[in-house]
Amino acid sequence: MAIHKQIYNLINDSFKDAVGKNSALTEADTSTVVSMGNTIDKLDLYEGFYKSLVNRIVKTVYFVRAYSGKKRSVLRDEHEYGAFVQKVYYKMPDAVEDTAFAVTTDAQSYTQHSPYDVETVIGVESKVFGGQGVWSYEFITPLVQMKTAFLSDAAMMSFINGIYTTVNSKMEKDIEDLQNLAVATAIADTMQNGASRNLLKEYNDAHTDGTLTVLQALESLDFLKFASKEINLVVDYMQELSTAYNSAGYETFTPQENMVVEVLSAFGSAANYYLQSDTYHNTLTALPRYEQVSYWQGRDKDMTFDVVSGINVKNDGLVSEEPSNPTGVVAKKGIIAFIHDTENVACYFGDRRSWSKINERDDILIHGEKNRKGYAVDNHANAVVFYLAE
């Protein structure tokens, strides 16, 4: 295959297309000047005159990038040692009579209250969180066999660095995917136990002509204002002490610094476009832990809303007494926001390490990357899911 080819016809046709001399675009064959890439065995390795000298590669480009996984509020409390994390919860007591104001000067009717009659005990319970997953990558790298393909140690190391960058990027993506699954499990638990709201149904029920579909809602200024307002109200209410926003009925609250507001990009981008100057939207995105996510669990090529807004998880802890869900599987879609306390879902265990060994006999380097992760979902902590369903 000749490297150099005449392209004067392509130049002439391209010029006529560019200046408007042709009534319709010319079919441009760019094969001669725009390379789509070939394997080495398909190329002409010899120059065109003597047919004896080898054509040279002028530059080698290593197209590999170091990926850094998105660090959400889930990754905040990892322990290398130990097997379990114990969490203790306290029940608030009921108020009783203040006996100090029962004191009277009437000696015949007054009897002192013994302090030893106090028997109330503050209720305490605890849960233990454990469970860790492990995985690794192992590969070999030749130490001398590749030297014929390079002209220096630096050139060969650039190539080898690309291998390590690729493996590290995959590990980063694994960590990102696991935190997505942990959040998806927390969402499933929250939806299963009733701490979720169908904002589209609420909106349609409140309007006489309420017939909005999911896709129409994402383009409706009025609906986006309504949804943004309702989400902001929950953010405000969750900062007050109550049992309303956790399925365990635990008396707790979530201060703003512990409030994680995770919003699906499909909803967040729509709100940003339509409500950019709106007070509700500005208040929401100004929160310290406002995080926009592209998808909850997975995506398809087209970023279809039903896919990116969906979860499909199974967990032994999701087993419900409801006959409709005996297996602990939760599959939902249309989820646009997940508001939760930092204690609701977190990474408790983590340990990543590397190892390397040289096989001097075969002149190869054996390398391994290991990782260990353990997450916890605590339904004593506040959490609310907002979703859209027709």
Side-chain angles (χ1 to χ4, degrees), residues 219-238:
E219 296 180 352
S220 168
L221 175 62
D222 194 51
F223 172 79
L224 291 171
K225 281 187 175 182
F226 168 80
S228 181
K229 178 194 71 173
E230 293 301 316
I231 293 172
N232 271 287
L233 283 174
V234 170
V235 169
D236 286 342
Y237 296 158
M238 201 180 281

Side-chain angles (χ1 to χ4, degrees), residues 44 124 176-177 189 192 197 201 207 227 230-231 242-243 255 268 303 319 335 345 379:
D44 186 357
V124 176
E176 183 180 74
D177 293 341
D189 178 68
Q192 185 189 49
R197 292 176 57 182
K201 184 179 186 304
H207 295 76
E230 293 301 316
I231 293 172
S242 75
T243 61
M303 296 295 287
V319 175
I335 301 159
V345 53
N379 59 15

